[in-house]
Amino acid sequence: MALRMSIRKLAHSYGIRDIRPLCSVNATEILQSRQIFLSPRKMSDKKLFTPGPLGTSPTVKSAMLRDLGSRDVEFIKLIKTIRSKLVQIAGVSDSTFTAVPMQGSGTFAIESVFQTATKRSGAKVLVFENGAYGKRLGKVCEVMGVEVDVISFPENDYIDLKKVESILQGNNSYTLVAMVHCETSSGVINPVEGVGKIVKQHLPDSDFFVDAMSSFGAIPLDLEAAKVDYLVSSVNKCLEGVPGFSYAIARLNKLLGCKGNSRSISLDLFEQYDNLEKTNQFRFTPPTHTMLAFAQAIQEFETEGGVEGRSARYRENCTILKAGMKEMGFKEFLSPNHEGYIITSYCFPQDKNFNFNNFYMKLNERDQVIYPGKVLDADCFRIGSIGYLFPNDVRHLLKCIKDVCKEMNITLPIKE
Ligand SMILES: Cc1ncc(COP(=O)(O)O)c(C=O)c1O
């Protein structure tokens, strides 16, 4: 009896409710060996104000606490449902678009699109970039050995449509044009619809590819109006699943012409699609637990009101954050005409007592996780508004920032 009680206590500290399986084996030994790796006192969630990985709800996390075989009828149904829900969330018709999940983080989906949409010879890619993630699009092509031109814009500004137009005028050699929707390194939201229209006006046969990793599900985007052929995102961004796979939303008539293009087996988006269509199964070990969690995440997304509901919460998070940080004198990296609400970059304050590592560590001790900057031109840190975060979480973060500043002898409001 006493053993059962102690198993129950220990199991609960790991979030395990059903202790029956544990009682049939040497449970204390197992739990105690796990304890070495996962100190129960540290089991509470940190608040992740980052670009990812992001926080997820307790119900999303608990949805994956079961095993399911990859050929299980339930799992096969789950794959079909998830694919069809993703097309719905994208706001497009399943007769025109398909959703293809790809094992791995977001970059795997990016690589799979480049692998699959560029022919083995004659492909030429054009990337418009204004930050680290845009640069990565160019890098992927370079590493693949695909000819690529990268047109750079300042990190603190939008991709400029006039320049896009002038580059594409009279230049019809590109087979694919790529860009990032929300450049998560700074928080800039790029004008995808404007770029897409210019691309298709000058290069009607080319593919238009959008990395919407940190915006899909939270920033409305009309894929048809923007003439998008491929869009990628990841489950652990605004749809708030646990990390483990990413996905491409692909225009069917484009994807169907891509057989045999990929130089990679695992990243072949066409073969992944084809196999899913024929068998409803992944080609290689599927992320079963992540998919169970994602199905729950989609349900919670729908309950919150879809893209509209999610964007409203993130906007509110961001509004509270910006007001509170402004009051403390922190200066945003972007000018006020930028209305992104995914992530906000802040310049390091000029106060001689400010040291980012200390600032970060002191917040981390209070379970508040922010992120270093990723812009090249300025010393910045970033605070995200996305994931399982609510206005009261942001208010608490602001209070922690105030306390940390006091502890670091940083005078508030900061004077620049
Ligand atoms: C716009 C964008 N592209 C690509 C990535 C890379 O995704 P991952 O780290 O999941 O591979 C990220 C990650 O935050 C991102 O924000």
Side-chain angles (χ1 to χ4, degrees):
M1 196 62 190
L3 176 66
R4 209 180 158 85
M5 282 303 286
S6 69
I7 291 172
R8 187 183 299 283
K9 218 169 143 194
L10 203 48
H12 275 203
S13 70
Y14 292 107
I16 300 166
R17 301 248 156 255
D18 183 4
I19 65 161
R20 281 167 305 179
L22 295 171
C23 292
S24 61
V25 291
N26 193 348
T28 24
E29 211 171 272
I30 292 173
L31 288 170
Q32 274 160 4
S33 70
R34 283 175 64 180
Q35 201 174 357
I36 296 167
F37 300 105
L38 304 163
S39 163
R41 277 176 290 114
K42 290 280 174 197
M43 285 295 280
S44 63
D45 287 338
K46 297 237 172 191
K47 292 290 172 191
L48 305 178
F49 295 90
T50 67
L54 298 171
T56 55
S57 74
T59 33
V60 164
K61 281 188 277 282
S62 61
M64 66 179 174
L65 291 178
R66 52 190 286 247
D67 301 323
L68 208 54
S70 59
R71 286 161 199 269
D72 198 295
V73 179
E74 186 189 342
F75 186 62
I76 284 173
K77 224 168 114 190
L78 189 79
I79 298 174
K80 267 185 98 163
T81 308
I82 285 175
R83 290 184 64 207
S84 122
K85 291 278 184 189
L86 283 171
V87 172
Q88 267 177 37
I89 294 167
V92 284
S93 154
D94 60 6
S95 60
T96 323
F97 280 88
T98 186
V100 189
M102 180 59 72
Q103 295 96 326
S105 80
T107 309
F108 289 64
I110 291 174
E111 292 217 40
S112 77
V113 168
F114 281 125
Q115 282 285 353
T116 310
T118 57
K119 290 201 186 314
R120 291 192 185 198
S121 70
K124 190 170 171 189
V125 171
L126 175 64
V127 172
F128 293 117
E129 71 85 8
N130 55 345
Y133 293 107
K135 285 185 178 61
R136 188 180 295 177
L137 299 178
K139 176 89 179 164
V140 168
C141 295
E142 226 180 276
V143 170
M144 270 173 60
V146 169
E147 192 180 348
V148 58
D149 286 339
V150 176
I151 307 295
S152 298
F153 295 83
E155 287 180 304
N156 62 351
D157 215 343
Y158 310 103
I159 287 177
D160 175 29
L161 295 180
K162 281 204 184 87
K163 192 166 172 194
V164 168
E165 174 99 53
S166 79
I167 283 158
L168 288 174
Q169 253 163 11
N171 193 337
N172 57 8
S173 62
Y174 297 108
T175 56
L176 185 148
V177 180
M179 67 179 286
V180 171
H181 187 199
C182 171
E183 182 41 81
T184 327
S185 56
S186 61
V188 173
I189 310 296
N190 282 315
V192 170
E193 195 170 323
V195 175
K197 284 179 175 158
I198 299 170
V199 167
K200 293 295 169 149
Q201 185 193 337
H202 296 285
L203 299 166
D205 297 329
S206 68
D207 297 333
F208 183 41
F209 170 28
V210 177
D211 168 354
M213 208 66 72
S214 59
S215 58
F216 185 75
I219 299 185
L221 177 65
D222 183 335
L223 266 66
E224 290 291 10
K227 305 188 184 300
V228 174
D229 298 309
Y230 297 94
L231 173 147
V232 291
S233 187
S234 156
V235 284
N236 182 239
K237 289 286 193 268
C238 300
L239 296 184
E240 299 183 9
V242 301
F245 72 95
S246 45
Y247 47 87
I249 312 284
R251 196 178 284 275
L252 268 169
N253 66 353
K254 294 281 187 172
L255 184 63
L256 290 174
C258 292
K259 188 174 170 62
N261 286 350
S262 180
R263 303 88 173 148
S264 153
I265 290 177
S266 56
L267 296 176
D268 190 331
L269 197 67
F270 174 84
E271 290 299 335
Q272 185 90 331
Y273 161 79
D274 197 46
N275 204 71
L276 282 165
E277 286 294 303
K278 285 178 180 153
T279 68
N280 279 312
Q281 288 177 28
F282 280 75
R283 293 170 302 155
F284 312 120
T285 304
T288 42
H289 300 81
T290 309
M291 289 201 93
L292 282 164
F294 193 49
Q296 175 66 25
I298 290 178
Q299 237 179 61
E300 292 176 17
F301 172 79
E302 287 174 343
T303 306
E304 192 171 9
V307 178
E308 212 177 301
R310 186 106 338 150
S311 70
R313 169 159 59 91
Y314 291 171
R315 264 179 208 278
E316 194 181 351
N317 287 347
C318 190
T319 304
I320 294 167
L321 174 76
K322 286 183 175 180
M325 291 295 276
K326 190 172 174 187
E327 204 180 298
M328 286 185 267
F330 284 94
K331 194 169 160 280
E332 288 174 33
F333 171 68
L334 297 178
S335 56
N337 61 327
H338 286 269
E339 289 173 348
Y341 48 90
I342 299 294
I343 195 160
T344 311
S345 291
Y346 287 97
C347 303
F348 283 3
Q350 292 306 308
D351 193 299
K352 64 178 186 336
N353 293 327
F354 182 83
N355 168 296
F356 178 70
N357 283 343
N358 287 349
F359 185 66
Y360 172 88
M361 288 308 292
K362 283 178 186 295
L363 284 171
N364 200 46
E365 282 160 16
R366 290 161 166 84
D367 287 344
Q368 311 295 302
V369 184
I370 62 164
Y371 227 58
K374 212 175 165 82
V375 291
L376 297 175
D377 293 347
D379 285 331
C380 286
F381 62 88
R382 290 177 289 169
I383 302 182
S385 317
I386 59 176
Y388 193 64
L389 293 173
F390 294 82
N392 274 343
D393 297 319
V394 182
R395 288 185 191 103
H396 182 64
L397 169 73
L398 290 166
K399 185 189 170 303
C400 291
I401 291 177
K402 207 172 258 182
D403 293 347
V404 165
C405 285
K406 197 169 168 198
E407 215 174 284
M408 290 175 72
N409 289 322
I410 297 166
T411 315
L412 296 180
I414 292 156
K415 292 194 178 51
E416 295 294 338

